[in-house]
């Protein structure tokens, strides 16, 4: 993987954003240098134009503790994943209250997983008539997946095996990262993976019309983003289709509120690129081993570290600080926070295993025979 | 002598973080005019001591961090809220940020304009883009919020 300088990635973000007007293009980042101007620039900000002000200064977070990650062994039923994220945030908010300085960044964790077949939507759909089903939910009655209304941004989507789901639980205040920059970084990271690691051409992030996500063309989407923030700590995150397995499920709904866009997977795109290059050469090309969800999860780990300029370690790994756990004060408290998160994650793995066993697994494809 | 005592008590009201008991006369003069205070969650409250109503919104700092607002979820009119309760959210570019009640009370009025023009939150977060008005059950909560200087320091320090 190429060691790509962070600054190049971010200036690309700013240029692309300026071209597609993703949001207010200029932003004053509070830093020790800009302190006098940050709260008095109110009138200037509304006249924002395409500015190449980078969203993020890596040097600001170099001093934070390592990011932690966990790649789940077991596909999670959706409500388990939701409860886990909220429990982790509760632990973090408690730790922050007890020790606002010492806890900084300690509990930043990235969860990588698959879900069992599930449809979800965001909070714009949150005040339905309780007697009426959401229109998209009506379409997928009895196909073998549940439908949940969540507190994240974004609209209807599908999660299931063959799709990598990522839940970075990060304190954006501590990382001094504005919300919209965080969304852009996730988007840029997924696009970079597709372009650089997989060699795919024509990757669009965002869509030419400004829609957030990662697209293979104006009508094909392979990665989505939807975030929820509680006191500036993130939950939910991103989802990327690795194998074609999610596609028939996606085809049953109007995903992301985009009528002309269809879901596509990295497998489909790699096969397309393969056959295209094959047709141009006379040499037989041996197809590579198919990409797995786990392969992608592992490839994204170092990218998270690079993106946020932090060391990134498995959640299970104890740091030197932790083994010297007879330290008093904030050192030990912080390690207790990580240990508490570790326990929550292990409990979720076990509960998922038990539930999946009880249900006899999950359907491979949607059952179209019983729809209303 | 009396005027000196008055001045000392009034300044205690302004700078002390936790509300302290002050005589009714002192308190009345301190809250006669509408004043604005802030929270660490980047919200502002403009409190009118005469009507006991606080207008709530998000700050310029918060708006800039969010990006283009596409949807605002507000509490129901007439609902009772406690300080710190999650009362809705602001959604922008696929991120929905919870908003919190900066003070306890009853929601008197919500800004209906935000349903059709969520972008008001970007253009005028500290005026036309107000979120809701709350009839305060405990004005002391307002006094304990951050002053403009303290809020500015918080933004720069975090």
């Amino acid at each position: 993987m190429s060691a790509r300088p962070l600054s190049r990635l971010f200036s690309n973000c700013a240029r692309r954003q300026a071209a597609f007007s993703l949001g207010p293009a200029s932003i004053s980042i509070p830093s020790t240098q800009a302190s006098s101007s940050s709260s008095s620039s109110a009138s200037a900000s509304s006249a924002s134009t395409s500015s190449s002000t980078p969203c993020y200064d890596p040097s600001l977070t170099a001093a934070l503790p390592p990011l932690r990650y966990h790649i789940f062994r077991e596909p999670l039923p959706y409500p388990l994943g939701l409860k886990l994220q909220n429990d982790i945030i509760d632990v973090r908010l408690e730790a922050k209250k007890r020790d606002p300085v010492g806890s900084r960044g300690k509990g930043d964790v990235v969860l990588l997983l698959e879900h069992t077949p599930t449809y979800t939507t965001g909070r714009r759909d949150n005040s339905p008539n309780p007697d009426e089903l959401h229109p998209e939910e009506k379409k997928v009655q009895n196909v073998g997946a549940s439908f949940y209304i969540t507190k994240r941004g974004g609209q209807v989507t599908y999660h299931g095996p063959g799709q990598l789901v990522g839940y970075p639980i990060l304190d954006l205040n501590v990382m001094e990262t504005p919300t919209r920059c965080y969304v852009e970084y996730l988007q840029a990271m997924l696009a970079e993976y597709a372009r650089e690691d997989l060699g795919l051409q024509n990757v669009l992030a965002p869509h030419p019309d400004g829609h957030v996500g990662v697209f293979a063309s104006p009508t094909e989407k392979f990665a989505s983003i939807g975030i929820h923030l509680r006191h500036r700590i993130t939950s939910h995150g991103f989802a990327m289709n690795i194998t074609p397995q999610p596609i028939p499920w996606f085809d049953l709904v109007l995903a992301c509120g985009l009528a002309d866009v269809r879901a596509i997977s990295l497998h489909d795109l790699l096969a397309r690129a393969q056959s295209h290059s094959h047709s141009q050469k006379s040499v037989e090309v041996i197809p590579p081993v198919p990409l797995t969800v786990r392969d992608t999860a592992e490839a994204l780990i170092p990218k998270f570290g690079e993106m946020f300029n932090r060391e990134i370690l498995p959640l299970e790994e104890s740091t030197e600080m932790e083994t010297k756990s007879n330290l008093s004060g904030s050192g030990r408290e912080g390690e207790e926070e990580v240990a508490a998160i570790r326990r929550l994650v292990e409990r979720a793995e076990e509960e998922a295993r038990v539930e999946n066993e009880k249900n006899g697994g999950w359907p491979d494809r949607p059952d179209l025979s019983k729809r209303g | 002598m009396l005027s000196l005592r008055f001045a000392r008590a009034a300044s205690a009201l302004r700078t002390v973080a936790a509300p302290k008991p002050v005589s009714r006369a002192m308190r009345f003069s301190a809250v006669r005019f509408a004043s604005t205070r802030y929270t660490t969650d980047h919200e502002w409250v403009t409190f009118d001591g005469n009507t006991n109503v606080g207008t709530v919104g998000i700050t310029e700092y918060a708006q800039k961090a969010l990006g283009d607002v596409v949807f605002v979820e507000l509490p129901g009119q007439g609902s009772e809220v406690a300080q710190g309760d999650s009362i809705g959210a602001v959604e922008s570019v696929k991120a929905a940020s919870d908003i919190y009640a900066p003070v306890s009370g009853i929601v008197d009025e919500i800004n209906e304009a935000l349903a059709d023009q969520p972008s008001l939150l970007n253009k005028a977060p500290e005026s036309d883009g107000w979120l809701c008005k709350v009839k305060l059950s405990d004005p002391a909560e307002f006094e304990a919020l951050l002053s403009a200087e303290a809020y500015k320091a918080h933004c720069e320090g975090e």
Side-chain angles (χ1 to χ4, degrees), chain A residues 95-287:
Chain A
K96 212 165 156 171
K97 217 171 14 175
R98 279 197 311 267
D99 182 5
V101 175
S103 68
R104 285 169 64 83
K106 284 252 163 72
D108 282 342
V109 61
V110 179
L111 306 176
L112 294 161
L113 58 135
E114 287 170 285
H115 276 305
T116 55
T118 316
Y119 291 97
T120 68
T121 189
R123 64 199 309 160
R124 269 184 262 179
D125 295 323
N126 202 15
S127 37
N129 178 345
D131 300 325
E132 267 276 307
L133 284 180
H134 187 285
E136 295 303 315
E137 186 171 3
K138 281 197 193 132
K139 295 180 188 173
V140 294
Q141 284 281 282
N142 303 315
V143 302
S146 302
F147 191 101
Y148 298 98
I149 300 181
T150 71
K151 295 196 176 177
R152 59 160 172 81
Q155 294 170 269
V156 174
T157 196
Y158 167 80
H159 299 303
Q163 183 195 80
L164 173 65
V165 170
Y167 293 147
I169 303 183
L170 306 176
D171 187 333
L172 295 190
N173 261 359
V174 165
M175 288 165 48
E176 301 188 42
T177 302
T179 304
R180 66 175 190 84
C181 294
Y182 170 66
V183 171
E184 278 180 36
Y185 301 155
L186 282 186
Q187 188 175 257
M189 187 181 71
L190 298 173
E192 187 191 86
Y193 171 70
R195 288 184 190 119
E196 309 235 328
D197 292 44
L198 303 182
L200 291 173
Q201 313 272 346
N202 307 317
V203 171
L204 304 167
H207 186 276
D209 294 339
H211 309 301
V212 170
V214 192
F215 298 78
S217 75
T219 55
E220 294 164 318
K221 186 178 192 187
F222 61 90
S224 298
I225 291 172
I227 313 292
H228 178 212
L229 289 115
R230 289 174 54 193
H231 299 286
R232 306 294 322 287
I233 300 181
T234 65
S235 59
H236 298 264
F238 65 86
M240 184 154 65
N241 301 323
I242 312 298
T243 77
Q245 206 180 351
I247 310 305
W249 299 87
F250 267 107
D251 287 343
L252 300 178
V253 289
L254 191 131
C256 311
L258 298 174
D260 303 322
V261 175
R262 237 199 119 210
I264 196 165
S265 72
L266 292 177
H267 275 205
D268 296 325
L269 296 174
L270 287 167
R272 188 191 285 175
Q274 179 86 350
S275 69
H276 181 71
S277 71
H278 184 203
S279 67
Q280 301 200 315
K281 301 178 185 154
S282 50
V283 174
E284 271 295 305
V285 179
I286 302 164

